[in-house]
Amino acid sequence: MGEQCLADELRTLFLFEHLTDEQLDMLCGHGEINTFPPGPLCAEGDPATCFYVLIDGELVMSKRSGGVDIETNRTSQRGVYCGAWSAYIPNEEPMYQASVRLTRESRMFVLEADAFAEFMQTQFPMAVHLLEGHMVGGLRQRQILDQREKLLALGTITAGLTHQLNNPAAATARAVADLREGVGHMRHKLAMVAEAKFTPEALRTLITIQDQVAEQVAKSKDLELSALEASDREDQIGDWLEDHGISHAWEYAPTFVEAGLDTDWLERVSVVVDEADASASLQSAVGWLKYTIDNELRMNEIAEASKRISALLAGAKQYSQMDRGSYQSADVHELLRSTMMMFGDKIGHAGKGKPITLVKEFETGLPEILCYPGDLNQVWTNIMDNALQAMDGHGTLTVRTMREGDGMVRIEICDDGPGIPPDIIDRIFTPFFTTKPVGQGTGLGLDLAWRVVVEKHHGNLSVESKPGDTRFIVCLPLQAPAPEAVTPAEIAPADAE
């Protein structure tokens, strides 16, 4: 049972000092003064049922971040308030915005949320309308600009993806044109082979060699020669072809080198052709094999370009989380890779001067996490895009992952740009704060990242910065809170299709 509330005592609190006697009587008529023992008073996220005003004692406010409670305020100031302070907003279900703990026995004025809302709406209608407009209007504005922020990021990503798809598509078109020309040359060489009067046995041998060439070309994909090694081998093959009376020797040599052939292999071809039919022309055989190699190389190019397109589309699907549940088990490394791939030439080939260098330091054995992958990809996009802009086209982007304690995963996205000035670093996660020129930034990219990481995943997002080393640090729990409508049976595995 609470104490009787006295208007004179309420008037000593700064929160109520300008109220009229009638208003103080109304508050006393609906509220009471309670004495609470040390311990929890209310918990963040629970429905806000009461409005509290401290009369005597001490309270500590804390917010949940990175899976732990972070103290935000400790005070014994008389008149400080907490609890259902926003209950006066119509059509809103008030929630406790912070956890409050009493450090010692404390006396507090307590007013039920409904009574507080009625008092505010009847006594200060204009103030309520202004505050409602400020809060609701600000929320709507953030929602609208959030969408714009996502569209801006989507535009950046789409431009990079389009450019990346254009490269293999153009390579495929070129290879098809070269292949068409090569097939025409093959038909011409077929006539020359016939004129060389190869015996059936020699033709069969030549076809066998052709199959061996195709196998050799396939193996040559894994063969990497330095420029000097390739040049030396071209000289050796060119000399061999000239010594054996092969015309266009120096046109053939680069093709044979690209296929991974050497003079020993050509010697075997010469011996086989001579043994099969002395009247056969080595020139015809070598020419036939040269165009065989050309066609095999072009088909390899088409296959590689097709694989690249498939990989890009798979990455785009991973990035957008198409055909997947919004809440699911996911590999953080795969999410990061798909986002980095979406930037295309911005990472590795972008800007003026030297390119952006990408460094990946991924801890092996990192567990999958239950999360909202599409939202996390938006976080990586916003942070990486800011890092690339800060480096202005030259520098090093480092993406690092590791375990953080027993139940967290830590992701660091670092750049070696000029850093964030100390006088603004505390405001970068504030809604609408931006250092970009008017019209070029909404100031919601990092605010959105904050809400995804901290509010939606119950993780932590922080930044450390000095010239040459800026680090955005994301800590995520192994299991983010699931949406209320989702049961464990509905959670999609990471490889669900």
Side-chain angles (χ1 to χ4, degrees):
M1 185 71 178
E3 304 174 31
Q4 181 181 1
C5 177
L6 299 176
D8 287 342
E9 185 173 24
L10 288 190
R11 187 176 283 109
T12 65
L13 306 176
F14 74 86
L15 187 63
F16 303 133
E17 62 183 351
H18 296 299
L19 296 185
T20 65
D21 291 342
E22 182 182 0
Q23 289 170 332
L24 290 173
D25 289 339
M26 289 177 62
L27 289 175
C28 284
H30 290 90
E32 60 184 9
I33 295 177
N34 288 339
T35 298
F36 296 92
L41 181 68
C42 58
E44 179 183 357
D46 287 349
T49 58
C50 292
F51 176 69
Y52 299 96
V53 182
L54 182 66
I55 299 176
D56 294 302
E58 183 182 60
L59 61 81
V60 174
M61 290 186 181
S62 62
K63 296 277 287 184
R64 194 77 173 167
S65 179
V68 297
D69 284 323
I70 306 298
E71 182 176 318
T72 59
N73 189 24
R74 179 184 292 260
T75 182
S76 57
Q77 182 180 5
R78 302 179 73 250
V80 71
Y81 57 90
C82 60
W85 62 269
S86 63
Y88 54 80
I89 299 177
N91 303 317
E92 289 289 327
E93 292 294 334
M95 308 288 288
Y96 288 123
Q97 300 299 309
S99 296
V100 178
R101 176 173 54 86
L102 302 176
T103 61
R104 60 175 187 261
E105 187 175 83
S106 302
R107 293 177 68 241
M108 306 191 81
F109 172 70
V110 183
L111 190 62
E112 290 187 0
D114 290 342
F116 174 63
E118 183 180 358
F119 175 80
M120 291 292 293
Q121 291 164 0
T122 57
Q123 299 303 307
F124 306 103
M126 183 176 178
V128 167
H129 284 306
L130 290 173
L131 290 169
E132 178 189 2
H134 175 71
M135 294 185 65
V136 176
L139 176 61
R140 289 173 181 167
Q141 190 176 24
R142 284 172 62 178
Q143 290 172 339
I144 292 170
L145 291 180
D146 270 357
Q147 292 301 318
R148 181 176 182 272
E149 191 76 24
K150 291 179 180 179
L151 288 173
L152 288 173
L154 180 61
T156 299
I157 294 301
T158 301
L161 180 60
T162 301
H163 182 69
Q164 290 184 88
L165 288 171
N166 183 63
N167 288 340
T172 300
R174 288 193 301 270
V176 168
D178 292 343
L179 185 60
R180 182 176 288 110
E181 182 180 355
V183 170
H185 287 306
M186 285 284 286
R187 290 195 296 267
H188 178 66
K189 283 295 178 183
L190 183 59
M192 294 178 65
V193 168
E195 290 173 1
K197 298 180 181 179
F198 281 88
T199 63
E201 181 183 354
L203 284 174
R204 281 193 293 271
T205 302
L206 191 58
I207 291 171
T208 299
I209 294 174
Q210 191 178 31
D211 290 338
Q212 293 172 352
V213 166
E215 292 179 8
Q216 183 61 36
V217 170
K219 293 177 183 177
S220 71
K221 291 188 295 183
D222 300 323
L223 179 66
E224 293 186 7
L225 298 177
S226 67
L228 182 60
E229 290 172 331
S231 179
D232 288 344
R233 188 171 289 191
E234 282 185 22
D235 289 342
Q236 294 169 5
I237 291 177
D239 290 339
W240 187 95
L241 293 173
E242 281 192 336
D243 292 344
H244 288 75
I246 305 298
S247 60
H248 307 295
W250 296 102
E251 294 179 11
Y252 287 7
T255 299
F256 289 140
V257 171
E258 188 178 358
L261 306 184
D262 54 22
T263 54
D264 291 341
W265 198 91
L266 290 173
E267 284 288 354
R268 292 197 298 271
V269 173
S270 177
V271 170
V272 169
V273 171
D274 288 343
E275 289 178 351
D277 192 338
S279 64
S281 166
L282 182 61
Q283 172 76 47
S284 297
V286 170
W288 172 265
L289 294 178
K290 190 265 184 186
Y291 287 111
T292 298
I293 292 170
D294 280 339
N295 291 342
E296 289 292 331
L297 290 173
R298 299 297 81 76
M299 285 189 285
N300 281 351
E301 289 176 9
I302 293 171
E304 288 301 318
S306 299
K307 287 180 182 178
R308 177 60 178 161
I309 291 172
S310 295
L312 286 168
L313 293 176
K317 183 178 179 181
Q318 169 73 11
Y319 176 81
S320 64
Q321 294 298 305
M322 290 168 54
D323 302 330
R324 300 187 180 206
S326 61
Y327 180 75
Q328 64 176 38
S329 176
D331 183 337
V332 169
H333 293 162
E334 289 303 318
L335 299 182
L336 290 166
R337 288 191 192 99
S338 69
T339 302
M340 290 184 285
M341 188 195 72
M342 290 296 100
F343 278 97
D345 287 350
K346 282 196 170 187
I347 298 178
H349 304 283
K352 305 169 184 176
K354 69 176 183 178
I356 299 270
T357 301
L358 175 64
V359 176
K360 291 182 286 187
E361 299 177 1
F362 289 173
E363 181 175 307
T364 58
L366 209 64
E368 292 190 351
I369 64 174
L370 281 170
C371 61
Y372 301 85
D375 290 330
L376 288 180
N377 281 341
Q378 188 69 43
V379 172
W380 318 142
T381 299
N382 291 348
I383 296 176
M384 289 183 192
D385 191 44
N386 283 346
L388 295 178
Q389 291 185 42
M391 290 186 286
D392 194 24
H394 56 86
T396 300
L397 177 71
T398 303
V399 182
R400 185 180 297 116
T401 66
M402 64 194 77
R403 289 294 295 263
E404 180 85 353
D406 294 331
M408 303 285 286
V409 171
R410 179 185 177 107
I411 301 96
E412 295 183 2
I413 300 176
C414 318
D415 70 74
D416 56 1
I420 303 170
D423 59 331
I424 68 169
I425 195 168
D426 292 335
R427 292 187 287 157
I428 62 171
F429 297 115
T430 304
F432 308 112
F433 176 78
T434 178
T435 59
K436 298 175 185 176
V438 176
Q440 294 186 20
T442 62
L444 288 176
L446 292 179
D447 170 59
L448 184 148
W450 173 273
R451 283 183 283 119
V452 168
V453 173
V454 177
E455 297 179 10
K456 195 164 188 176
H457 285 81
H458 287 192
N460 190 35
L461 174 60
S462 60
V463 62
E464 299 174 359
S465 185
K466 61 184 179 180
D469 184 11
T470 296
R471 304 182 180 197
F472 280 86
I473 302 166
V474 178
C475 292
L476 296 169
L478 295 181
Q479 182 170 345
E484 293 182 1
V486 174
T487 63
E490 295 173 315
I491 298 174
D495 57 353
E497 292 292 340

